[in-house]
Amino acid sequence: MRVSTAMNPSLLGHEIIGNVSLRVSGPARRTARWLCQLPDVVFASLVAGEYDLVAELRESSTRALQSRLVELRARPDVLSIDSAIYLHHAWGPLGAAGAKPIDDLDREIIRLLIDDGRLPFQAIAEEVLLSPSAVRARVRRLTDANIIRFGTVESRGSSERQLAMGVGLRMSSSADSVMSLFASSPNVDFAVETIGRFDIIATLVADSPSRLLDLVEELRARSDVRQVDSWIHLDTVKEDFSRLI
């Protein structure tokens, strides 16, 4: 587990975010190692379920995403892929980024915080040649505008304290009610509306398999949820959202 800082992708020219599920032949770790070398792959996880790997790709355009998917399909160790495109930039519980511009000093401060999310304002001030109070004001402005966020990063599926399950929902009506539920739930680590294979993709977290099952059953019982697919995160092999700076 580490303390990290990440920047909202919507301010960095990453207009398209895709979720890709892969079936592979042979060891899935081998394919995962190749995926992790791709600069546009910011998340990759070995999973149990219908697929062997899931990944998140951030691209400048739909054409760029299409080119990457063609490359994935052409690999002999990839049997098939399914994909979905996020309807908006997924940013955990923070929502959309504010419209406030950032300058070179803001970017330098963010770079330092990505390296160490606990870096004191005094240390940052010495690097960027500002006063600690000026650095504090800039960091507060960036966080208030949802441009950056701080948090602990823990590999999904690797902790005995917390299990993670991905779910894909097909809805029978609007997704608004489920998304509102997810926004207020302590058991939802991530949720986003998508176009493609699913209408919603989310990550559920809990301290036991039985609690994860309860969460999935609650979703299946809803009249506005037509179908629930699920997969267990076994090993997160890449989680590098900070590289977008």
Side-chain angles (χ1 to χ4, degrees):
M1 182 179 291
R2 61 187 173 86
V3 176
S4 182
T5 305
M7 187 173 181
N8 198 307
S10 64
L11 301 176
L12 297 166
H14 298 89
E15 297 299 331
I16 303 297
I17 304 179
N19 182 285
V20 182
S21 303
L22 302 91
R23 293 188 191 92
V24 303
S25 62
R29 286 191 182 278
R30 180 178 61 195
T31 308
R33 284 194 294 270
W34 175 78
L35 269 177
C36 289
Q37 296 174 1
L38 301 177
D40 49 342
V41 173
V42 296
F43 175 82
S45 179
L46 295 159
V47 299
E50 182 180 358
Y51 292 88
D52 305 302
L53 282 165
V54 295
E56 182 178 303
L57 290 75
R58 299 188 175 181
E59 306 287 357
S60 59
S61 65
T62 53
R63 183 174 295 276
L65 177 60
Q66 181 186 37
S67 296
R68 182 62 78 192
L69 296 181
V70 169
E71 183 180 3
L72 288 174
R73 292 189 185 100
R75 286 185 59 85
D77 55 340
V78 174
L79 298 176
S80 64
I81 64 173
D82 275 327
S83 59
I85 295 176
Y86 296 173
L87 277 175
H88 54 81
H89 290 288
W91 193 234
L94 290 181
K100 295 182 180 180
I102 61 174
D103 58 23
D104 290 340
L105 277 175
D106 291 331
R107 290 181 178 273
E108 184 59 27
I109 290 170
I110 296 168
R111 287 182 189 276
L112 293 168
L113 289 171
I114 283 172
D115 290 338
D116 183 359
R118 298 182 180 181
L119 198 63
F121 291 136
Q122 178 65 48
I124 297 173
E126 292 172 0
E127 291 288 336
V128 300
L129 303 179
L130 290 175
S131 68
S133 60
V135 170
R136 183 182 297 106
R138 282 177 175 263
V139 171
R140 174 168 292 185
R141 175 175 58 82
L142 293 170
T143 54
D144 288 347
N146 290 338
I147 292 171
I148 63 171
R149 70 173 177 183
F150 297 90
T152 56
V153 177
E154 182 175 2
S155 292
R156 292 170 182 162
S158 67
S159 170
E160 295 180 356
R161 296 166 311 198
Q162 181 171 269
L163 302 174
M165 172 186 285
V167 292
L169 308 183
R170 297 179 180 89
M171 306 299 296
S172 59
S173 59
S174 169
D176 292 348
S177 180
V178 171
M179 289 299 290
S180 295
L181 173 68
F182 283 169
S184 61
S185 172
N187 294 107
V188 177
D189 183 56
F190 166 88
V192 66
E193 292 184 68
T194 64
I195 297 174
R197 182 186 176 206
F198 300 117
D199 300 308
I200 297 175
I201 292 176
T203 302
L204 310 181
V205 293
D207 58 4
S208 69
S210 61
R211 178 56 182 149
L212 285 176
L213 177 58
D214 289 342
L215 294 169
V216 172
E217 290 288 81
E218 290 169 11
L219 290 171
R220 289 176 176 145
R222 293 181 61 95
S223 61
D224 53 352
V225 175
R226 188 183 303 277
Q227 184 175 334
V228 180
D229 287 3
S230 62
W231 52 94
I232 293 290
H233 289 280
L234 298 175
D235 186 13
T236 299
V237 291
K238 185 174 185 180
E239 192 165 18
D240 189 20
F241 301 105
S242 62
R243 70 100 193 157
L244 293 171
I245 274 293

